[in-house]
Amino acid sequence: MKIERRIFLIAVAISTLGWILDVVFCLWDDPQQNLLALIFTPPLHEIGMRIIFIFCVLGFSFIVSRIIKQREKIRNHIESLARFPAENIHPVLRIDTSGNILYANDASETILHEWKCRVGEMAPEFWRQCVDDTFVNRQSTSCDASIGSRTFHFVVVPLPEHGYANLYGSDITARRTAEEALRKAHSALETRVQERTAELIAANLLLQEAESRATATNALLRLFMEKSTRQEYLASAVQLLANWSECHNVGIRVLNDQGLIPYEASVGFSEEFLKKESQLSINTDKCVCIRVVLGSADPQEIGAMSSAGSFNTNDSLGFHKNLTESEKCHYRGECMSIGFASLAIVPVKYQNKTIGAIHLADVQSGKITPRMMEFMEAIALLIGEALHLFKIEEELHHHRHHLEEMVEERSVELKQLNQELQAEIAERKQTEEKLKAAVIELSRSNQELEQFAYVASHDLQEPLRMVASYVTLLSKRYGQKLDADADEFIGYAVDGAHRMQRLIRDLLDFSRVGMGGRPLQPFSIQSALDLAQANLKVIIEETGARVTSDTLPVINGDESQFVQLFQNLIDNALKFRDSQPPHIHISASWKDNSWVISVADNGIGIDPKQYNRIFLIFQRLHGARKYPGTGIGLAICKKIVERHGGRIWVQPGSGKGTIFHFTVV
């Protein structure tokens, strides 16, 4: 409007100039005119009027033109502003407080299609709620929405004075895609960094493990150079393996000439455990330690065995729980009873021959890893080499020392023998002849005595049987016809005849032990016990007895005589029972290179003063009427045991009863 104001002022100035010129022209024509009258009532001169008119017309035309142009400019600007939402490539919508869509530009068509509504219809519930929230909070808000396959970001601007809100949207699909790609790239990078970190950690652990293995191997090699005896070497080696493996219990078994695999060195195991486990025999016992040494495995152990023949489980309690009852009989169960969860048995070999085993055990599960087992198998080879070399050194030292002693002794003896040789030869000949004669005479005498006992007992059977038969017949035929004394006398005669028959039969059995024995051959003691129980089945059932046994070994001997041995001992336990039902338990243990078989009962027991007497023939501790018998049964047992190179003795039971022990070489 500044330009129009200026034009107006110019028009006023020109009009004023025309007025002044008109006054001037009037004075020019008549100088006598009054100037003041001309000023206030100027005459309208023709020229001035024209000038004023022209300039007024020009000014008005210019003003009108400027007004028209200004209005055109304003209209164009308004039209441009009106086209702006429609030309916007981003969605623009307007929703009133009632949720009606008042306006939507062309870019909003896709959104309206997905919403399934048009301008003038209700907007979806979510957007109505969003508009209501902006009016309540009286401030703008923003949100993201997935519409079809696109993602939009909306800014909701409330206009309370107009009763509606404007929704300004922008397509952020590309940005979201880029953000998702960036997130995935970042996640992949983090994963790769974690994997690489894990690889570096694993590599570092492998390096540390390799260094630890090298240190342990070098230390084991140094032990062989530093230690002078096998015992010192094994004691240090066990401690080294315990420190390296971090297992609390480590032991090394070494197979000896008797077939036993005792612990020669150990760490952590209790004395009670070592005492029980050091008597394991590869010939008679059953356990996984023995199968590892023998190079065999039961079917249930295949999964826990390595290619090198080692056994390893980190859940031995679960392993034992999954075994069947028949499979559990193949294990001693000592490790499980203590609670060792981690368990490993590694064979110690020399030139593919197993000479021992390394035993690792810990109550913590997962203690023994596969890599640890691989290293232990490698260490076991070094220990096998060392044991072989120590054995050679011990043998050489023993032979050298023994040879030196023998040379020294023989040197002294040769000097004396050179002087005494002739006299000693003659004396020895005389002694040998006397000894041979005594042996021949003793053998002949024993054979005659055994033959006499056999013939006497055998020949007495028939006449005694006849006496018993006729006395029994006399009792049946005339038992009711005679008086009470006669019946009593006949009863005594019948009883005496029967006791004489039992006595002769037992005496015959006693003589047969030395004369009619079978050749000694391997048999199971358990099978002999079963036969004895079968022979005594009736009396066992009548007395309600219970006969139990541990695992019994296989030995060389006469099985039939062992059946008689067990039958006599069990029959005695049943005969001399207490008021409670009899319980007889048979067990076996390896001691001093022989098996000790024990038969324990809960009967009335034996007076310790009579322990030596009970094994003599015809010796009885009780009356025949209360406890019938001949007094030969235990003498037969003693003779059977002595025939097999053993001895028999008796001890009192832990609470009551008696325990008979006998050895078998």
Side-chain angles (χ1 to χ4, degrees):
M1 297 298 292
K2 292 181 179 180
I3 296 175
E4 287 78 0
R5 193 181 294 113
R6 289 176 183 176
I7 293 173
F8 176 76
L9 292 175
I10 292 172
V12 172
I14 293 174
S15 299
T16 304
L17 180 61
W19 179 73
I20 294 172
L21 288 176
D22 192 30
V23 172
V24 171
F25 284 133
C26 286
L27 289 176
W28 183 272
D29 292 337
D30 186 6
Q32 295 301 323
Q33 295 186 35
N34 187 355
L35 179 60
L36 293 174
L38 290 174
I39 292 172
F40 290 103
T41 58
L44 295 175
H45 195 272
E46 184 178 357
I47 296 175
M49 286 295 293
R50 290 178 180 175
I51 293 174
I52 291 171
F53 178 76
I54 291 170
F55 274 100
C56 287
V57 171
L58 290 174
F60 180 76
S61 299
F62 183 79
I63 289 171
V64 171
S65 175
R66 290 293 297 177
I67 290 172
I68 292 171
K69 289 182 179 179
Q70 188 68 25
R71 286 182 177 179
E72 183 70 21
K73 184 177 180 181
I74 292 172
R75 188 187 65 180
N76 292 337
H77 182 66
I78 291 173
E79 290 178 353
S80 176
L81 291 176
R83 290 193 307 271
F84 175 75
E87 294 173 349
N88 195 347
I89 62 174
H90 299 295
V92 178
L93 299 100
R94 178 172 291 168
I95 302 175
D96 63 12
T97 55
S98 299
N100 295 315
I101 302 175
L102 303 178
Y103 172 80
N105 65 351
D106 295 340
S108 304
E109 286 297 324
T110 304
I111 297 175
L112 293 177
H113 178 72
E114 291 292 334
W115 287 357
K116 297 180 180 180
C117 60
R118 304 191 63 80
V119 175
E121 297 178 354
M122 294 292 289
E125 176 63 26
F126 171 78
W127 294 105
R128 295 200 304 270
Q129 185 64 39
C130 186
V131 170
D132 291 342
D133 293 342
T134 57
F135 277 105
V136 171
N137 298 328
R138 291 188 173 275
Q139 61 181 4
S140 301
T141 185
S142 61
C143 62
D144 294 340
S146 296
I147 301 176
S149 60
R150 315 292 294 176
T151 302
F152 291 88
H153 177 74
F154 284 93
V155 177
V156 184
V157 181
L159 297 171
E161 65 275 10
H162 298 296
Y164 58 76
N166 291 333
L167 280 70
Y168 302 99
S170 59
D171 191 345
I172 60 172
T173 304
R175 188 182 73 185
R176 281 296 177 88
T177 303
E179 289 176 352
E180 182 64 19
L182 181 61
R183 186 190 64 79
K184 290 181 178 180
H186 185 264
S187 177
L189 181 60
E190 285 185 348
T191 302
R192 182 57 183 160
V193 169
Q194 292 175 358
E195 291 175 352
R196 186 57 180 164
T197 302
E199 290 175 358
L200 291 175
I201 293 174
N204 186 42
L205 291 176
L206 289 176
L207 181 61
Q208 293 178 356
E209 184 180 354
E211 291 178 353
S212 176
R213 288 185 176 189
T215 302
T217 303
N218 293 333
L220 197 62
L221 293 173
R222 284 197 303 271
L223 287 178
F224 178 72
M225 302 299 296
E226 295 171 356
K227 303 303 179 181
S228 58
T229 64
R230 183 173 74 175
Q231 286 71 21
E232 292 178 355
Y233 170 78
L234 290 177
S236 301
V238 162
Q239 189 63 55
L240 176 65
L241 295 179
N243 294 337
W244 183 86
S245 65
E246 297 182 353
C247 284
H248 290 84
N249 307 276
V250 180
I252 297 180
R253 296 177 179 269
V254 179
L255 180 63
N256 61 22
D257 296 334
Q258 290 76 35
L260 303 179
I261 48 173
Y263 289 98
E264 290 212 1
S266 64
V267 171
F269 293 113
S270 65
E271 292 295 331
E272 182 181 0
F273 178 83
L274 294 175
K275 184 178 180 180
K276 292 180 180 179
E277 289 296 303
S278 290
Q279 298 298 325
L280 285 186
S281 171
I282 63 174
N283 299 318
T284 57
D285 291 321
K286 293 180 180 179
C287 196
V288 67
C289 296
I290 295 173
R291 288 189 286 277
V292 168
V293 173
L294 295 177
S296 62
D298 284 351
Q300 68 273 10
E301 298 167 350
I302 298 298
M305 286 289 183
S306 69
S307 57
S310 300
F311 175 82
N312 177 31
T313 176
N314 282 297
D315 184 15
S316 64
L317 303 180
F319 175 84
H320 188 263
K321 183 179 180 181
N322 293 329
L323 297 176
T324 63
E325 291 301 324
S326 60
E327 290 173 344
K328 289 180 181 179
C329 296
H330 292 198
Y331 300 87
R332 291 169 59 83
E334 294 295 335
C335 293
M336 285 69 174
S337 63
I338 293 177
F340 291 145
S342 298
L343 188 64
I345 310 296
V346 182
V348 176
K349 298 181 179 181
Y350 174 74
Q351 293 184 350
N352 295 326
K353 180 181 179 182
T354 303
I355 58 176
I358 300 174
H359 186 186
L360 304 174
D362 201 286
V363 295
Q364 181 179 347
S365 61
K367 197 75 172 181
I368 304 170
T369 63
R371 295 188 60 83
M372 183 188 296
M373 288 297 297
E374 293 177 2
F375 179 65
M376 282 296 175
E377 289 172 350
I379 286 292
L381 295 176
L382 296 178
I383 294 176
E385 292 281 349
L387 289 177
H388 178 71
L389 293 176
F390 273 116
K391 182 178 180 181
I392 293 177
E393 288 184 359
E394 290 174 359
E395 291 178 353
L396 289 176
H397 176 74
H398 174 73
H399 290 310
R400 182 171 59 250
H401 181 70
H402 183 63
L403 182 60
E404 291 176 352
E405 290 181 348
M406 287 181 62
V407 169
E408 184 177 354
E409 291 176 359
R410 292 301 293 173
S411 298
V412 175
E413 290 175 359
L414 286 173
K415 292 180 181 179
Q416 297 176 354
L417 289 175
N418 286 332
Q419 301 173 0
E420 302 174 358
L421 185 57
Q422 297 299 327
E424 187 176 348
I425 291 174
E427 184 179 351
R428 283 188 178 182
K429 286 182 177 181
Q430 294 177 359
T431 304
E432 288 177 359
E433 290 176 358
K434 292 180 181 179
L435 183 59
K436 287 180 181 180
V439 169
I440 292 172
E441 180 63 22
L442 180 60
S443 176
R444 184 186 61 79
S445 176
N446 288 337
Q447 289 179 357
E448 289 179 354
L449 288 175
E450 290 180 355
Q451 184 67 24
F452 171 77
Y454 178 78
V455 172
S457 59
H458 184 271
D459 292 344
L460 287 173
Q461 289 278 5
E462 184 60 29
L464 185 60
R465 188 181 300 111
M466 184 178 296
V467 171
S469 298
Y470 278 104
V471 172
T472 303
L473 182 60
L474 182 64
S475 175
K476 291 180 179 179
R477 182 171 298 179
Y478 299 101
Q480 302 299 328
K481 299 179 181 180
L482 301 177
D483 57 9
D485 291 339
D487 290 340
E488 184 180 359
F489 297 155
I490 293 174
Y492 288 154
V494 171
D495 182 64
H498 288 166
R499 285 193 290 109
M500 181 63 73
Q501 281 183 322
R502 288 196 298 270
L503 179 62
I504 293 174
R505 186 169 56 250
D506 291 345
L507 184 61
L508 184 61
D509 291 338
F510 181 78
S511 64
R512 284 174 178 170
V513 172
M515 296 181 59
R518 299 176 182 176
L520 303 185
Q521 58 185 5
F523 75 95
S524 172
I525 292 181
Q526 184 65 51
S527 65
L529 176 61
D530 293 341
L531 290 174
Q533 288 183 250
N535 294 338
L536 298 172
K537 180 179 180 181
V538 175
I539 189 173
I540 290 175
E541 293 177 351
E542 289 177 352
T543 57
R546 184 162 56 97
V547 181
T548 60
S549 64
D550 294 340
T551 301
L552 301 177
V554 175
I555 63 170
N556 282 330
D558 187 339
E559 183 176 7
S560 63
Q561 291 187 348
F562 268 81
V563 172
Q564 186 177 10
L565 171 63
F566 281 120
Q567 187 169 326
N568 288 350
L569 293 176
I570 295 174
D571 184 62
N572 273 359
L574 298 175
K575 183 189 302 181
F576 300 102
R577 63 183 180 274
D578 203 347
S579 58
Q580 60 183 355
H583 178 205
I584 301 101
H585 183 74
I586 296 88
S587 59
S589 62
W590 180 261
K591 185 177 182 181
D592 297 333
N593 297 327
S594 62
W595 284 105
V596 178
I597 312 299
S598 302
V599 180
D601 62 55
N602 60 345
I604 62 175
I606 300 175
D607 186 357
K609 297 179 181 179
Q610 307 295 334
Y611 283 170
N612 294 326
R613 178 187 170 197
I614 60 176
F615 295 107
L616 299 177
I617 191 170
F618 301 129
Q619 296 298 315
R620 294 176 49 83
L621 305 182
H622 304 279
R625 292 188 177 276
K626 186 176 182 180
Y627 296 104
T630 60
I632 300 179
L634 291 180
I636 293 175
C637 293
K638 181 173 181 294
K639 196 168 185 180
I640 291 173
V641 171
E642 290 177 348
R643 180 180 178 239
H644 289 79
R647 66 186 186 91
I648 186 170
W649 69 98
V650 64
Q651 287 182 342
S654 57
K656 61 179 181 178
T658 308
I659 303 177
F660 284 91
H661 303 279
F662 61 89
T663 60
V664 181
V665 179

